[in-house]
Amino acid sequence: MPPVSDRLPVFPWDRLEPYKTTAAAHADGIVDLSVGTPVDPVPELIQRALSGASDSPGYPTVWGTAALRDALTGWCERRLGARGVEHTNVLPVVGSKELVAWLPTQLGLGPGDRVAFPRLAYPTYEVGARLAGAEPVAYDEPTELDPEGLRLLWLNSPSNPTGRVLDADTLRRIVAWAREHGVLVLSDECYLELGWEADPVSVLHPDVSGGSFEGLVAVHSLSKRSNLAGYRAAFAAGDAAVLGELLQIRKHGGMMVPAPVQAATVAALGDDAHVEEQRARYAARRTVLRGALEAEGFRIEHSEASLYLWATRDEPCWDTVGDLAKRGILVAPGDFYGPAGDRFVRVALTATDERVEAAVRRLRA
């Protein structure tokens, strides 16, 4: 049998290793603004919830505890403005990347099926299509796609990498088109609570969905808003028929969120204060990094939300990566997210205040 990995592109982050070595050789150490992994502490109330549930010798359930499902439905109604969210409309998952990568396979897609995603996008949308043997399709405008064979349509607002936000009118138009053609909409909303110059809206909001979850699944993560990337805490919400099918498949696959993480998720979704504190940290870092980049001649496009600045000096992205690496600053090349990003770099806000200050000094030197 041919290796499944033959279907996949080279893991992009491996290509960045030589530049990471260069940046790490800086006398004052590396400032890593590439991957976007949280560096700030896990809030104490979440740590306490995890610790309090640590004596969990039995198997957790794939659907999660009733308390977890209550927390998920309550948060969707309170934060997303969704209405009538029942337990059948939510499903905890083991990190959002796992869901993105395996969802086409779990829904039975294969050769002859098509999966569409933005031309500038998180690479795992394409990986998920290829793992299933389906055809990946990049788009500029989703409603201009040929709907023949199109089974899944990924939206991503706020966008990774660009930080672009789709407004309610745009989302409503796309949802109407997808429903007309029987295409399932998958909306990656993991950065929804990190809007800076725009107020992101969920596809589950009645202004977009029309009050029905039919044909809609939103994906959310606690990695960024609660610093829980190490916990692998995420969930999907929306169409009960789609999530019910996924639940049955995932039961057979044993895809269970650990019981202590379920308890930590309940605590995290029940507290808004820590989210606002973390937003304030990112907002301050964003302000100083943006100012330093623009003073250095970079142009920032979109970036109205999310944890990244989408920056360009109108040169090949790897030239920018190389120049910044010599200054001890590591950023992600834009072509990681598709050929359309080949003259941009993605600059993450996920570094400590001290490291961000170091990057600003080096940019202004």
Side-chain angles (χ1 to χ4, degrees), residues 138-170:
Y139 66 76
D140 295 306
E141 166 52 57
T143 61
E144 295 177 359
L145 288 165
D146 179 358
E148 182 67 28
L150 184 61
R151 300 284 301 282
L152 304 180
L153 172 64
W154 279 106
L155 304 178
N156 181 208
S157 175
S159 163
N160 174 17
T162 69
R164 181 188 178 195
V165 173
L166 302 179
D167 62 29
D169 289 343
T170 299

Side-chain angles (χ1 to χ4, degrees), residues 284-303:
R285 294 165 187 166
R286 179 180 183 272
T287 297
V288 296
L289 276 172
R290 180 167 192 155
L293 287 166
E294 289 176 334
E296 177 63 10
F298 283 89
R299 185 176 73 254
I300 308 298
E301 293 195 0
H302 293 301
S303 307

Side-chain angles (χ1 to χ4, degrees), residues 47-58:
Q47 293 190 48
R48 288 196 301 269
L50 184 82
S51 176
S54 61
D55 186 13
S56 298

Side-chain angles (χ1 to χ4, degrees), residues 266-343:
V266 172
L269 293 179
D271 178 73
D272 293 334
H274 78 275
V275 179
E276 290 305 315
E277 290 174 9
Q278 190 59 47
R279 274 180 53 86
R281 293 187 187 107
Y282 285 137
R285 294 165 187 166
R286 179 180 183 272
T287 297
V288 296
L289 276 172
R290 180 167 192 155
L293 287 166
E294 289 176 334
E296 177 63 10
F298 283 89
R299 185 176 73 254
I300 308 298
E301 293 195 0
H302 293 301
S303 307
E304 57 259 32
S306 84
L307 284 184
Y308 311 105
L309 294 169
W310 188 236
T312 182
R313 287 192 305 205
D314 294 310
E315 65 185 6
C317 62
W318 287 98
D319 289 356
T320 308
V321 170
D323 175 63
L324 292 177
K326 292 174 184 175
R327 304 192 218 183
I329 302 169
L330 189 68
V331 297
D335 66 3
F336 276 12
Y337 308 95
D342 64 357
R343 299 182 75 80

Side-chain angles (χ1 to χ4, degrees), residues 24-344:
H26 190 279
D28 186 36
I30 188 173
V31 179
D32 192 343
L33 306 178
S34 62
V35 176
T37 187
V39 298
D40 298 303
V42 173
E44 286 289 339
L45 85 161
I46 301 175
Q47 293 190 48
R48 288 196 301 269
L50 184 82
S51 176
S54 61
D55 186 13
S56 298
Y59 291 112
T61 65
V62 172
W63 203 16
T65 63
L68 175 59
R69 298 195 299 273
D70 283 343
L72 297 178
T73 57
W75 184 86
C76 286
E77 294 203 344
R78 176 171 55 84
R79 183 60 187 86
L80 304 183
R83 296 291 178 264
V85 186
E86 306 290 343
H87 282 198
T88 53
N89 299 119
V90 295
L91 179 66
V93 297
V94 191
S96 58
K97 184 170 186 175
E98 169 264 303
L99 181 70
V100 172
W102 292 109
L103 190 144
T105 298
Q106 290 174 4
L107 290 179
L109 272 64
D113 297 320
R114 301 163 69 225
V115 177
F117 47 83
R119 191 165 303 281
L120 277 168
Y122 183 47
T124 312
Y125 306 138
E126 178 180 355
V127 167
R130 293 188 179 280
L131 284 170
E135 178 188 353
V137 180
Y139 66 76
D140 295 306
E141 166 52 57
T143 61
E144 295 177 359
L145 288 165
D146 179 358
E148 182 67 28
L150 184 61
R151 300 284 301 282
L152 304 180
L153 172 64
W154 279 106
L155 304 178
N156 181 208
S157 175
S159 163
N160 174 17
T162 69
R164 181 188 178 195
V165 173
L166 302 179
D167 62 29
D169 289 343
T170 299
L171 290 170
R172 182 168 55 249
R173 175 175 54 81
I174 295 170
V175 166
W177 178 88
R179 284 173 167 167
E180 177 185 353
H181 296 288
V183 179
L184 176 63
V185 173
L186 304 168
S187 182
D188 181 347
E189 302 174 356
C190 289
Y191 297 93
L192 185 136
E193 294 195 279
L194 295 165
W196 311 116
E197 298 163 8
D199 187 14
V201 61
S202 171
V203 295
L204 302 184
H205 192 284
D207 287 350
V208 175
S209 69
S212 168
F213 302 142
E214 180 183 358
L216 304 176
V217 173
V219 179
H220 285 271
S221 167
L222 281 74
S223 292
K224 306 302 195 296
R225 49 96 70 192
S226 297
N227 299 333
L228 297 188
Y231 284 45
R232 312 313 301 135
F235 64 95
D239 191 317
V242 175
L243 297 184
E245 174 66 10
L246 287 172
L247 176 59
Q248 296 306 314
I249 298 301
R250 294 168 70 85
K251 283 180 179 179
H252 284 288
M255 305 182 85
M256 302 171 284
V257 176
V261 175
Q262 293 189 30
T265 300
V266 172
L269 293 179
D271 178 73
D272 293 334
H274 78 275
V275 179
E276 290 305 315
E277 290 174 9
Q278 190 59 47
R279 274 180 53 86
R281 293 187 187 107
Y282 285 137
R285 294 165 187 166
R286 179 180 183 272
T287 297
V288 296
L289 276 172
R290 180 167 192 155
L293 287 166
E294 289 176 334
E296 177 63 10
F298 283 89
R299 185 176 73 254
I300 308 298
E301 293 195 0
H302 293 301
S303 307
E304 57 259 32
S306 84
L307 284 184
Y308 311 105
L309 294 169
W310 188 236
T312 182
R313 287 192 305 205
D314 294 310
E315 65 185 6
C317 62
W318 287 98
D319 289 356
T320 308
V321 170
D323 175 63
L324 292 177
K326 292 174 184 175
R327 304 192 218 183
I329 302 169
L330 189 68
V331 297
D335 66 3
F336 276 12
Y337 308 95
D342 64 357
R343 299 182 75 80
F344 286 80

